[in-house]
Amino acid sequence: MKPQSLLGALALLAVAAVPSLAQEPVKLGFITKFPVPFFATMENAAKEYAKRNPGVEIIYGQGASATDIEGQIAQIESMVTRGVQGIALTPVDPTVSTALDKAVAAGIKVVLMDNNIPDWKGRTALATTDNFAAGKIAGEYLKTVLKAGDTMGILEGVPGVPALDDRVKGMLEGLNGLDVKIVGKGATNCSEELGISVAEDLLTKNPDLKAIYAACGPPAAGAARAIKNAGTANDKIVLVGFDFCCGEEEALKSGVEDASVAQFPTKMAELGVDALVKAIRGEKVESLIDSGAALVTPENMAKFQ
């Protein structure tokens, strides 16, 4: 055999002896905020991803509520103890970054989903809806159905959580140019119970209220119940939600809710997990991955079910 042929054969043998990087198994942690359909959809999408990719093992965890900071920190610490190589999570609050710093220091990759942790430099990527742009979709819709001088109440999510704050800021940007008066707002912690309470307060204090905007799905459904309980006719108040989940489908069908901004949790989870797997395997990933959003109305809602 010629020397160059021998070298070529040895090179091929050497390559064959090295296992493919893309086929190396990886072990991930997947942590979502709390038990609502949106996060259940994300977890199911991660499970489907794992089924399609046999080399990917995923351990799942979830907090008890939208403000369960200690619970999420415990989940992160548990994932580190169980030897994961990466963590994909929807952070419940920026203060969980301390636990994530310890994970990163241990060599664990972190991909955030749904919302960011501002000024935290440890993430590999963020897979999310552009919540400001999505909120703007809601505001632009409201601008088409309201007129100057109309009054509006806002059901906030968890003040201080950037993604939820951006949904309100974006909505107001979408309304820009139309003189709508904000007569009240209140935090709901993204719960239906607080959505009912804040909406009832708004309706009681403002009998001529023309619109309610809810930054999360459960409080939007709560507002729909409050409107119905108050005996307010569907055409007297405009209700716009965000998430298209957790009772909003029924509210839209009944005509109490007029529109919602849908995210794509399946796509968000798939993109987040895929970015994490690629990062662990040494592949380049984009630092910001937008999973998109769209306006849902009674007329087009069948496409989003």
Side-chain angles (χ1 to χ4, degrees):
M1 182 181 290
K2 294 181 180 180
Q4 56 267 42
S5 299
L6 178 60
L7 288 173
L10 289 172
L12 288 172
L13 287 172
V15 170
V18 177
S20 171
L21 187 62
Q23 294 177 351
E24 288 183 357
V26 295
K27 184 177 182 180
L28 314 178
F30 189 91
I31 306 171
T32 50
K33 292 181 184 177
F34 60 107
V36 293
F38 182 87
F39 295 121
T41 299
M42 289 189 70
E43 185 171 307
N44 288 337
K47 289 176 179 176
E48 287 299 317
Y49 181 96
K51 285 181 183 178
R52 296 194 305 269
N53 297 272
V56 177
E57 177 188 353
I58 304 179
I59 304 169
Y60 301 91
Q62 188 173 76
S65 72
T67 55
D68 186 14
I69 298 170
E70 292 303 319
Q72 185 160 93
I73 289 172
Q75 292 282 353
I76 294 167
E77 292 174 344
S78 174
M79 296 297 180
V80 175
T81 302
R82 296 170 75 176
V84 301
Q85 297 159 275
I87 296 174
L89 84 159
T90 59
V92 72
D93 185 271
T95 56
V96 303
S97 60
T98 302
L100 292 175
D101 282 333
K102 294 177 182 178
V104 172
I108 296 169
K109 303 286 187 182
V110 175
V111 168
L112 304 180
M113 301 176 296
D114 189 36
N115 56 279
N116 195 16
I117 300 177
D119 303 321
W120 185 63
K121 307 301 182 184
R123 68 175 170 87
T124 295
L126 169 65
T128 187
T129 303
D130 183 333
N131 283 280
F132 184 87
K136 192 173 178 180
I137 291 172
E140 289 171 345
Y141 169 78
L142 283 161
K143 194 172 182 178
T144 69
V145 294
L146 297 177
K147 63 181 186 301
D150 281 346
T151 55
M152 177 190 294
I154 298 174
L155 306 188
E156 301 171 303
V158 183
V161 173
L164 301 178
D165 290 346
D166 280 349
R167 295 176 187 183
V168 176
K169 294 174 184 176
M171 183 276 294
L172 294 173
E173 176 66 22
L175 273 174
N176 191 31
L178 181 65
D179 184 20
V180 173
K181 184 179 180 182
I182 307 301
V183 294
K185 60 183 179 180
T188 65
N189 290 344
C190 287
S191 74
E192 183 172 346
E193 293 76 14
L194 283 175
I196 294 172
S197 177
V198 176
E200 285 177 343
D201 188 57
L202 286 167
L203 291 165
T204 300
K205 293 180 179 179
N206 305 279
D208 296 323
L209 190 68
K210 296 299 182 184
I212 293 177
Y213 171 66
C216 310
R225 286 180 57 184
I227 292 168
K228 186 176 179 180
N229 292 342
T232 305
N234 291 347
D235 61 353
K236 294 296 183 182
I237 188 165
V238 177
L239 173 61
V240 175
F242 198 112
D243 281 333
F244 184 52
C245 79
C246 319
E248 286 188 275
E249 180 180 341
E250 293 79 3
L252 281 162
K253 284 180 178 177
S254 70
V256 181
E257 187 171 4
D258 296 88
S260 182
V261 177
Q263 301 186 81
F264 301 107
T266 296
K267 185 177 178 182
M268 188 185 298
E270 289 176 346
L271 291 171
V273 172
D274 191 58
L276 189 56
V277 170
K278 287 177 178 176
I280 291 168
R281 289 175 170 164
E283 299 177 40
K284 185 178 179 181
V285 298
E286 295 294 327
S287 62
L288 179 60
I289 305 165
D290 184 6
S291 53
L295 185 74
V296 183
T297 65
E299 292 73 29
N300 71 1
M301 64 185 293
K303 295 192 300 183
F304 297 90
Q305 295 170 323

